[in-house]
Amino acid sequence: MLSEPQQRVIDHGVRGLAHPVTLLYYTPDVPSTATAAERALLEAIAAASDRVHLEVLAEQWDAAREERVRIARTPAIAVNGAQEYGIRYYGTPDGYELETFLAIIRAVSEGRSGLSEASRAAVRALADPLHLEVLVAPT
């Protein structure tokens, strides 16, 4: 069960999304307390907007499939909009991370990266594929 403050943050975060977003939730086929809470949170986010769709993929690990969809481990959340941007979220997007996760959903819905023109030019100049992970630890 979500708290009232969590629900308010979710409602505000998904209000007025420009375009549909699909959350693909790759979760282990053996549920745990943590994955049950994560799934409930994602279901609440999807229920708060008709523009957010949740697909739960609770299957046994399939190395070929995970490589094809670029999932390094489960649980994982792929955030897709009009196209597949390669955004993968690992961990539960709760607490301090809830607003950040909702901002990711909003950016994908709007089809924007949030990068400055100089940063976009630097990315375009990359000659080889780049794997980037951003790790966050609450303080």
Side-chain angles (χ1 to χ4, degrees), residues 53-98:
H53 309 284
L54 174 63
E55 291 182 34
V56 177
L57 301 155
E59 302 168 359
Q60 192 168 21
W61 181 263
D62 176 342
R65 179 193 68 178
E66 312 316 359
E67 184 177 336
R68 187 174 59 254
V69 297
R70 295 175 307 185
I71 297 294
R73 56 198 167 274
T74 59
I77 307 163
V79 184
N80 298 335
Q83 66 186 58
E84 210 276 72
Y85 295 102
I87 296 172
R88 304 294 182 266
Y89 191 98
Y90 297 98
T92 303
D94 198 7
Y96 292 116
E97 294 306 311
L98 180 56

Side-chain angles (χ1 to χ4, degrees), residues 17-26 42 45 50-57 68-71 76-89 101-112:
L17 292 176
H19 301 285
V21 173
T22 299
L23 305 176
L24 299 170
Y25 180 44
Y26 295 86
L42 294 174
I45 292 169
D50 62 354
R51 300 265 177 159
V52 179
H53 309 284
L54 174 63
E55 291 182 34
V56 177
L57 301 155
R68 187 174 59 254
V69 297
R70 295 175 307 185
I71 297 294
I77 307 163
V79 184
N80 298 335
Q83 66 186 58
E84 210 276 72
Y85 295 102
I87 296 172
R88 304 294 182 266
Y89 191 98
F101 185 70
L102 294 169
I104 292 167
I105 290 173
R106 181 163 298 285
V108 167
S109 173
E110 294 171 1
R112 63 175 173 79

